[in-house]
Amino acid sequence: MVGTYRFRSVWLLAAPARAVFDAVVDLEHYPRWWSDVRSVRQVDADTAELVCRASLPYRLVLRMHRDVEDSDAGRLRVGLSGDLEGFLAGSVTRTKNGTHLEITQEVEARKPLLRKLDRVARPVFRANHALMMRRGLRGLRSHLAGA
């Protein structure tokens, strides 16, 4: 299907699981440690609007609505709407040496430019996402080390 993507990232972090969970559900502070998240605006208690821009010269405006936030089980899930529609789910698990964070995203591009260029630019969009996630991991590691 045009504009449909599934991403899976695994982040290994040398920090306690609770600290990782708290950081990833604290959307308001993402711009402090994730350079690709340019701004966050709280819409209501369960919804925030994020403006993201990675390596390519376009921005994505996303609304993230909290569906699941269970710190004891290490599970979170947000519904996405705006330039991307779908969901993002996370699983935070304590390991011997820190924490394992698995992030799964299933989205459909709604931004017209992304849909129009999907067939020819899909590998570039996937690479852009991978770079964004790599910078997010690096930023979160730095943020947690300084906490």
Side-chain angles (χ1 to χ4, degrees):
M1 182 182 217
V2 173
T4 301
Y5 294 84
R6 186 173 198 284
F7 300 106
R8 181 178 171 269
S9 302
V10 175
W11 293 1
L12 302 175
L13 300 138
R18 183 58 192 239
V20 171
F21 189 90
D22 290 347
V24 297
V25 298
D26 182 14
L27 298 177
E28 177 185 354
H29 292 106
Y30 273 30
R32 290 184 183 174
W33 56 266
W34 198 338
S35 61
D36 297 286
V37 179
R38 303 304 171 97
S39 67
V40 177
R41 179 179 66 85
Q42 198 68 35
V43 175
D44 61 37
D46 291 320
T47 309
E49 184 174 88
L50 286 74
V51 175
C52 303
R53 180 162 179 213
S55 301
L56 295 175
Y58 64 83
R59 67 186 191 131
L60 295 175
V61 179
L62 308 169
R63 281 204 175 195
M64 300 178 91
H65 180 78
R66 178 184 11 240
D67 290 334
V68 175
E69 186 175 315
D70 184 340
S71 60
D72 292 334
R75 291 181 43 244
L76 60 111
R77 181 181 164 110
V78 295
L80 299 172
S81 61
D83 289 336
L84 299 176
E85 293 201 12
F87 73 87
L88 179 149
S91 173
V92 177
T93 309
R94 189 174 63 214
T95 67
K96 180 179 172 184
N97 298 318
T99 300
H100 174 271
L101 170 60
E102 182 174 338
I103 305 163
T104 303
Q105 300 168 66
E106 291 188 16
V107 298
E108 180 181 348
R110 303 305 304 157
K111 188 176 186 87
L113 174 67
L114 300 182
R115 292 183 69 75
K116 181 177 181 180
L117 296 176
D118 181 68
R119 292 194 200 286
V120 294
R122 178 173 282 266
V124 175
F125 293 158
R126 293 187 73 75
N128 189 56
H129 180 268
L131 290 170
M132 178 180 180
M133 296 304 284
R134 192 173 304 142
R135 285 189 292 268
L137 171 58
R138 198 169 41 242
L140 183 56
R141 281 181 173 154
S142 178
H143 173 72
L144 292 168

